[in-house]
């Protein structure tokens, strides 16, 4: 039995606990009834991913989060526009095969990863930018470096360990 003290393998945002857990049929049972009780098609995820966002939708081919570490195959590119808003684009790794890229793009599209990360990261990044620009404060990473972090590390920085500005006075 999978531990419930984990982060959702689809979005990598929501911590899973018994109140917000959901079991998804990655390949929807309406389209793939033969896989409806196949263990590898049953994935413990957050309710937002399964019940609000995905439902019975699927795009194929798609990455399976238990077989492929999705976040290893792309990088978030964070851009700041003229309105001081952050937008996110995806850069797939140059070594990826065409098939992997299709799987990754479908995964990102299905789980609305870009919209969700833009929404969740904007406030954090604006706070972070303010901290970077405030005199007498130093932070342990520069904003520019964030754009090159793999998504799992970026998330750890932004959500799980939070920024830890150190004060120079
Ligand atoms: Zn999720």
């Amino acid at each position: 039995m999978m531990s419930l003290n984990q982060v959702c393998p689809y979005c990598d945002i929501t911590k899973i606990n018994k109140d917000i857990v959901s079991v998804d049929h990655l390949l929807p049972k309406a389209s793939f009834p033969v896989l409806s009780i196949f263990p590898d098609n049953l994935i413990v995820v957050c309710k937002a991913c399964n019940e609000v966002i995905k439902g019975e939708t699927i795009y194929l081919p798609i990455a399976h989060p238990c077989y492929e570490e999705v976040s290893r195959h792309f990088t978030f590119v964070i851009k700041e526009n003229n309105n001081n808003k952050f937008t996110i684009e995806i850069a797939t790794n140059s070594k990826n095969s065409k098939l992997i890229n299709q799987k990754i793009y479908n995964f990102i599209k299905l789980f609305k990863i870009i919209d969700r990360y833009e929404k969740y990261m904007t406030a954090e990044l604006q706070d972070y930018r303010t901290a970077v620009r405030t005199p007498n404060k130093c932070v342990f990473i520069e904003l520019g470096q964030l754009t090159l972090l793999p998504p799992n590390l970026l998330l750890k920085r932004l959500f799980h360990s939070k920024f830890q500005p150190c004060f120079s006075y």
Side-chain angles (χ1 to χ4, degrees), residues 54-72:
K54 177 172 175 272
E56 296 286 305
T57 312
I58 190 76
Y59 307 116
L60 295 175
I62 193 160
H64 189 302
C66 302
Y67 300 149
E68 279 144 330
E69 201 174 330
V70 176
S71 64
R72 289 182 54 201

Side-chain angles (χ1 to χ4, degrees), residues 21-81:
V21 75
S22 184
V23 178
D24 179 45
H25 294 81
L26 177 59
L27 300 177
K29 52 183 185 285
S31 309
F32 300 89
V34 72
L35 295 176
S36 63
I37 56 167
F38 183 61
D40 285 359
N41 195 41
L42 301 174
I43 304 185
V44 178
V45 298
C46 75
K47 284 192 173 181
C49 280
N50 187 21
E51 296 168 24
V52 181
I53 291 169
K54 177 172 175 272
E56 296 286 305
T57 312
I58 190 76
Y59 307 116
L60 295 175
I62 193 160
H64 189 302
C66 302
Y67 300 149
E68 279 144 330
E69 201 174 330
V70 176
S71 64
R72 289 182 54 201
H73 298 296
F74 72 94
T75 306
F76 284 130
V77 179
I78 301 170
K79 296 190 171 168
E80 187 177 3
N81 66 22

Side-chain angles (χ1 to χ4, degrees), residues 84-101:
N84 290 339
K85 291 245 166 79
F86 292 97
T87 57
I88 293 176
E89 294 171 11
I90 297 294
T92 51
N93 294 350
S94 58
K95 290 181 186 162
N96 290 357
S97 67
K98 194 175 166 193
L99 177 60
I100 280 286
N101 281 345

Side-chain angles (χ1 to χ4, degrees), residues 105-130:
Y105 280 125
N106 282 336
F107 188 94
I108 287 167
K109 181 175 158 193
L110 181 59
F111 296 107
K112 303 190 188 320
I113 294 294
I114 293 177
D115 287 352
R116 294 164 80 190
Y117 275 59
E118 276 180 354
K119 183 176 156 214
Y120 287 111
M121 290 198 323
T122 291
E124 298 280 350
L125 286 169
Q126 284 171 341
D127 287 351
Y128 184 69
R129 182 189 52 208
T130 303

